[in-house]
Amino acid sequence: MSAAPAGRTRLLLATRNGKKLTELQRILDTSLGAHRVELVGLADLEPYPEVPESGLTFGENALLKAREGCRYTGLPTVADDSGLAVDALGGMPGVFSARWSGRHGDDLANLNLVLAQLADVPDEHRAASFVCAAALVLPGGKEHLVEGRQSGRLLRAGRGDGGFGYDPIFLGDGQDRTNAELSPAEKDAISHRGKAFRLMAKVVAKTLG
């Protein structure tokens, strides 16, 4: 593993999701100012056995992934777990958001299944929240956990082609555009992941600076 460039700290984000990697790098660059972090993802490193997401909460899953990343690479590691919590579905799909349809990462199938399950639910009862837990685990064993949340409601059809996951059907409180209709900067400012990653950026700056 090559060393980080002079003046930069290498930090692992334990994901293969390139969009998440870009999103966190953008937030770190904005939040940390002169303190620069070189973010790497799992695709940039030698493969290691990845732990199943067996936790029952977003925080448990984030810590599981961060611990394994730090253990196998020796790098300070950030991991997140996030998803959609729908009131009318008792908080589901929750930690199963990425595989709600039975196929992990099939965004369209997951979205369509949620819409089908809510087909008879009136608009006033379609409240939902995006939730993101982010964990940082350091080689010395210290751990940090933060959470971000965005509340809103679900539409009956998707709008916009930005973002990913359930973004096209999620309309945040006080917003007139779905998350998929927002620019990356606009989404970062209000999203669950943006909130969690900004909190994590402060932890990273304090811990690694």
Side-chain angles (χ1 to χ4, degrees):
M1 184 186 304
S2 60
R8 302 188 74 182
T9 300
R10 177 162 284 183
L11 177 69
L12 170 63
L13 176 61
T15 184
R16 297 186 185 280
N17 187 322
K19 292 181 179 179
K20 281 188 183 181
L21 202 66
T22 299
E23 194 169 10
L24 180 54
Q25 184 69 70
R26 185 170 61 242
I27 291 169
L28 287 173
D29 289 346
T30 300
S31 301
L32 301 186
H35 179 80
R36 301 282 294 178
V37 168
E38 182 193 5
L39 196 64
V40 296
L42 294 177
D44 301 314
L45 305 175
E46 290 295 320
Y48 63 80
E50 294 178 42
V51 64
E53 294 181 11
S54 57
L56 297 180
T57 68
F58 296 115
E60 289 175 0
N61 280 336
L63 282 167
L64 282 171
K65 292 185 285 186
R67 287 168 183 157
E68 287 301 290
C70 186
R71 173 187 172 192
Y72 280 103
T73 68
L75 293 172
T77 301
V78 168
D80 83 296
D81 192 39
S82 57
L84 181 70
V86 182
D87 289 9
L89 298 179
M92 301 303 281
V95 295
F96 306 107
S97 292
R99 54 189 186 277
W100 190 233
S101 66
R103 292 167 290 184
H104 193 284
D106 190 335
D107 287 355
L108 183 59
N110 293 332
L111 183 153
N112 285 335
L113 178 56
V114 166
L115 287 180
Q117 291 169 325
L118 297 179
D120 296 329
V121 177
D123 290 347
E124 62 269 25
H125 296 306
R126 296 172 71 91
S129 296
F130 273 133
V131 183
C132 176
L136 170 66
V137 174
L138 303 174
K142 289 187 177 181
E143 299 179 346
H144 303 269
L145 184 66
V146 299
E147 182 181 281
R149 181 179 292 265
Q150 182 188 13
S151 299
R153 63 185 179 88
L154 298 184
L155 303 181
R156 295 186 177 275
R159 288 178 7 203
D161 54 9
F164 56 95
Y166 300 93
D167 283 346
I169 60 171
F170 186 87
L171 188 67
D173 288 343
Q175 303 294 314
D176 58 8
R177 289 176 292 162
T178 69
N179 278 16
E181 294 176 300
L182 301 175
S183 70
E186 288 172 326
K187 181 185 171 185
D188 288 349
I190 64 171
S191 76
H192 58 308
R193 188 174 293 106
K195 292 173 182 176
F197 280 178
R198 280 193 296 278
L199 290 172
M200 183 53 68
K202 294 178 181 179
V203 174
V204 169
K206 181 177 180 180
T207 305
L208 301 181

